[in-house]
Amino acid sequence: MPAVNKTRYALLGILNTGAHSGYDIKKGIERSIGHFWHESYGQIYPILRTLVAEGLATAHTEALPGRLARIMYTITDQGHTELRRWLTERIETLPIERNEFLLKLFFGAEVPLTVTLEHLRQHRRQAESVLETFAEIEAMLAIQVTPAMASNLPFWLATLRYGQAQAEAVIRWCDDTLKQFGMSSLPLSGV
Amino acid sequence: MPAVNKTRYALLGILNTGAHSGYDIKKGIERSIGHFWHESYGQIYPILRTLVAEGLATAHTEALPGRLARIMYTITDQGHTELRRWLTERIETLPIERNEFLLKLFFGAEVPLTVTLEHLRQHRRQAESVLETFAEIEAMLAIQVTPAMASNLPFWLATLRYGQAQAEAVIRWCDDTLKQFGMSSLPLSGV
DNA sequence: TCCAACATGTAAGGAGTTACATGATTTC
DNA sequence: GAAATCATGTAACTCCTTACATGTTGGA
């Protein structure tokens, strides 16, 4: 069991919703957990094989007429057990992310204020665009409510609102900070 | 010039505030940009050497009496130029982080609700503890205001408030979500 | 005397991305 | 006929952490 790698659990979680091919999984991740998780094919295909080798999934080739043959992976009981074990496990302390934007902001005194203001505006635009994506996802979830989704929906919406809360906080902070730095660049008068 | 690695710029940024040893830099990072950036010795020492090889820094051994000899690195004019070039450069699109907490939350329907509630409480506690650390840093910054720091202070405080805004948003979201899931676990009556 | 902090470094290995290779099928 | 999408996979490479090795100095 590797110390860091959580890819296996992301894959097990997706497989738990039904049989998928490697290609499927990649697309599925983008459409579901894409705003806080990502995987590349370079990870997915090798790890699917190790899941099979470990008995956590099975593979069988599906050759439907008029369609490219593909390898479908199905979670096993053992895989299901392992998924639940991990889900129940206490989450390790959050690793400190590396935030390039904050790194540049921290050293902002080195460059003209306009540079920092532009970084702030760009960061704000990014957060706005993320919010728009979330709104689209939310609209989509509201439309396609299948019975199979019902039990998952509250959890999916919760992760969505997490992203929204973060993005909204960033936007407010950008506005405050832009105002503060924008003001401070003006000459003081009458004081 | 590597495609991803920003360590060199973090080091240049620190060196720009004065000569440092590798050991110093590690400690300095923890005390300054530690809430959004980290480096290990395994990165710092080799990269300091490449900075020297590239003419962005110089090294000289400092042997003060009654103190361990250490290698002090000083930024060069070329290093300073390179730092400013990077600071001015547009920030690449943010990579999607991998959030294990959200991953577990997303698959929450698989496990008893108590498991998710506990994850939520732990996540909230972590955010609270981060807020406390920020308050300490803020208090420290308010006390030790040296003239050399004056121009940097607004930027340092801005990164601090960024972290605070994020942590506060997380806490509010945890409270909302705990309330929602806590409620939904109770049997409905009178409806 | 022992531990924490100071100080520098390397080796090994895991994690993860990117680019490439290959080819079928569908859509414009 | 071309381009996009479906579909699987590997090789090379970078990044980064962890563990280890080594030794000094200062304080309890």
Side-chain angles (χ1 to χ4, degrees), chain B residues 120-138:
Chain B
L120 283 165
R121 281 190 287 264
Q122 194 204 332
H123 199 69
R124 193 191 189 285
R125 279 196 300 273
Q126 267 175 9
E128 284 281 8
S129 134
V130 163
L131 265 192
E132 280 164 32
T133 308
F134 287 158
E136 284 165 26
I137 296 173
E138 204 171 2

Side-chain angles (χ1 to χ4, degrees), chain A residues 2 4-5 7 38 40 42-43 66 68:
Chain A
V4 182
N5 191 344
T7 298
H38 63 106
S40 63
Q43 292 269 94
L68 275 178

Side-chain angles (χ1 to χ4, degrees), chain A residues 31-65:
Chain A
R31 273 184 286 100
S32 57
I33 57 180
H35 59 287
F36 58 84
W37 205 269
H38 63 106
E39 294 295 347
S40 63
Y41 289 126
Q43 292 269 94
I44 291 171
Y45 284 114
I47 289 179
L48 280 174
R49 287 192 179 179
T50 69
L51 290 181
V52 172
E54 288 166 8
L56 306 178
T58 55
H60 69 102
T61 302
E62 180 193 87
L64 295 179

Side-chain angles (χ1 to χ4, degrees), chain A residues 65-147:
Chain A
R67 192 166 180 184
L68 275 178
R70 54 196 194 144
I71 304 166
M72 298 300 283
Y73 291 86
T74 310
I75 197 168
T76 61
D77 285 349
Q78 206 187 320
H80 190 231
T81 303
E82 172 62 4
L83 173 63
R84 288 163 74 115
R85 188 199 61 71
W86 171 75
L87 283 172
T88 310
E89 204 177 57
R90 196 181 158 83
I91 297 160
E92 289 147 44
T93 46
L94 305 175
I96 293 147
E97 6 126 24
R98 292 181 168 186
N99 190 320
E100 191 181 347
F101 164 70
L102 290 183
L103 191 60
K104 289 196 180 180
L105 179 61
F106 189 86
F107 297 129
E110 258 321 290
V111 283
L113 198 58
T114 50
V115 169
T116 295
L117 293 176
E118 185 47 37
H119 288 327
L120 282 165
R121 281 190 286 264
Q122 195 204 332
H123 199 71
R124 193 191 190 286
R125 279 196 300 275
Q126 267 176 7
E128 284 282 8
S129 133
V130 163
L131 264 194
E132 280 165 31
T133 308
F134 287 158
E136 285 165 25
I137 296 173
E138 203 169 5
M140 209 117 71
L141 284 178
I143 295 169
Q144 6 168 289
V145 188
T146 65

Side-chain angles (χ1 to χ4, degrees), chain A residues 143-188:
Chain A
I143 295 169
Q144 6 168 289
V145 188
T146 65
M149 274 171 54
S151 65
N152 284 307
L153 200 58
F155 299 98
W156 297 357
L157 287 174
T159 64
L160 198 60
R161 279 196 298 271
Y162 188 99
Q164 286 167 333
Q166 294 279 91
E168 283 160 6
V170 165
I171 290 169
R172 278 194 302 272
W173 173 90
C174 282
D175 287 340
D176 291 349
T177 310
L178 274 165
K179 200 180 291 177
Q180 188 208 321
F181 282 125
M183 288 300 138
S184 70
S185 72
L186 296 173
L188 294 175

Side-chain angles (χ1 to χ4, degrees), chain B residues 2 5 7 38 40 42-43 66 68:
Chain B
N5 192 343
T7 299
H38 63 105
S40 63
Q43 293 268 96
L68 274 179

